[in-house]
Amino acid sequence: MTALLETRNLTKKYQEGTTKIHAVDHVNLQVDAGDFVMIMGASGSGKTSLLHLLAGIDSFDEGTVLYALQPSAKTAAHSCPDSADFSRMSETAKTIFRRTHIGIVFQQQCLIPDLSVYENILLPLMLDKSRKGKASAKDTVLRLCGQFGLKEHARKYPSQLSGGQQQRTAILRAVINQPPLLLCDEPTGSLNSAQSDTVMELLQELNRKGQTILLVTHDVRVAARGSRVIYIGDGRITGELKFADGLHPSESREEALLRFLQARGW
């Protein structure tokens, strides 16, 4: 596999009174193109902090975040570089890189309430000045809505949707620019089990089509759908589980994950 993302001794500290807290503590992580990596750990362990550093939303104190995108993973935004070293980039440069290379999905969908499903998904294409052809953009959005069960809801507003439909809309908005990497922070955290299954089926389908995904979750059923699980404790990676080829999101996979988690005090 080809490395898409790598961190080297990535560290983020916070000051609490006279004490320095390591939210992320010398993390070394490699994510290959096509990976579906689950990040787990107790509350406050540094999962979301790590995700924010990978996205360039937050700054780090030591180490670096390296992106090495392959030609097959390039977006249509040719004005943006195909590799990045966040330790050498300005905040403006990281913002531009993130806009075209990284999709982000949060637990709260953050949809614009006055825009329809169609308009919410289309928005990143409209903001991307390097793209041409409104007709092709419209076709792309409608095709995705049709593929992922939102065609009949395309003209509805977020308030008219279920939680699962809102999250599917948020995911499609995050991938409409075809970013090489999708970062998800508890995307099923506010959903019931049926809605969660629907959202995870969408993410799995995107991954099967080549989308690289990092997903933070507390849910064992969700994490069992990935290809790897990274466990974080006190800002450090304390363990990794790779699912054997041929295993499916089933009891055997969940049981293997539970054993892995329990060995780390879950």
Side-chain angles (χ1 to χ4, degrees):
M1 298 293 288
T2 302
L4 173 68
L5 163 66
E6 183 180 0
T7 70
R8 297 176 183 170
N9 294 317
L10 189 63
T11 302
K12 176 67 178 181
K13 306 171 193 172
Y14 294 102
Q15 193 79 27
E16 287 190 3
T18 59
T19 304
K20 282 189 176 179
I21 305 296
H22 284 76
V24 176
D25 192 0
H26 295 87
V27 165
N28 294 293
L29 174 65
Q30 178 175 312
V31 178
D32 293 333
D35 262 352
F36 196 160
V37 182
M38 301 294 186
I39 302 176
M40 301 191 76
S43 297
S45 60
K47 304 183 298 299
T48 295
S49 294
L50 175 60
L51 217 64
H52 286 181
L53 297 181
L54 299 181
I57 294 173
D58 201 357
S59 58
F60 45 85
D61 298 301
E62 299 175 32
T64 192
V65 176
L66 301 167
Y67 284 92
L69 308 182
Q70 303 304 306
S72 61
K74 291 180 181 179
T75 68
H78 300 295
S79 61
C80 191
D82 294 312
S83 62
D85 179 345
F86 277 7
S87 67
R88 300 175 182 271
M89 295 172 69
S90 67
E91 292 304 313
T92 299
K94 285 192 284 187
T95 298
I96 294 171
F97 183 86
R98 180 170 60 247
R99 184 186 304 157
T100 54
H101 289 78
I102 304 172
I104 306 175
V105 179
F106 300 100
Q107 180 175 341
Q108 302 302 322
Q109 296 84 6
C110 301
L111 300 175
I112 298 176
D114 294 332
L115 297 183
S116 66
V117 167
Y118 168 81
E119 292 165 335
N120 266 285
I121 297 171
L122 181 67
L123 187 60
L125 294 180
M126 301 301 292
L127 295 175
D128 188 351
K129 303 299 183 182
S130 68
R131 290 183 181 268
K132 298 179 181 180
K134 291 184 178 180
S136 62
K138 176 182 178 181
D139 291 342
T140 299
V141 174
L142 293 177
R143 174 176 55 80
L144 286 173
C145 286
Q147 283 180 329
F148 297 109
L150 291 172
K151 184 175 182 180
E152 64 185 50
H153 306 292
R155 298 300 174 183
K156 292 182 180 179
Y157 293 94
S159 62
Q160 299 173 297
L161 304 177
S162 69
Q165 290 163 348
Q166 289 181 23
Q167 195 61 287
R168 275 184 280 162
T169 301
I171 291 169
L172 294 184
R173 181 182 60 184
V175 301
I176 192 68
N177 269 335
Q178 298 180 318
L181 179 65
L182 179 62
L183 302 176
C184 303
D185 190 3
E186 295 279 6
T188 64
S190 61
L191 305 179
N192 62 35
S193 58
Q195 293 170 339
S196 175
D197 286 343
T198 300
V199 166
M200 289 309 302
E201 287 165 8
L202 164 54
L203 290 172
Q204 286 183 294
E205 179 62 21
L206 291 170
N207 179 247
R208 282 191 288 269
K209 293 180 177 180
Q211 180 69 62
T212 306
I213 304 173
L214 267 77
L215 188 151
V216 168
T217 184
H218 284 95
D219 191 328
V220 172
R221 291 178 67 250
V222 167
R225 292 174 179 260
S227 56
R228 300 162 58 194
V229 177
I230 304 294
Y231 192 85
I232 294 183
D234 295 326
R236 288 180 174 269
I237 294 178
T238 61
E240 177 177 353
L241 174 66
K242 292 184 178 180
F243 291 113
D245 290 342
L247 282 178
H248 300 284
S250 62
E251 285 189 1
S252 60
R253 186 178 268 226
E254 290 179 20
E255 288 170 1
L257 177 54
L258 280 171
R259 288 193 296 271
F260 168 81
L261 294 173
Q262 288 166 355
R264 284 153 186 83
W266 180 263

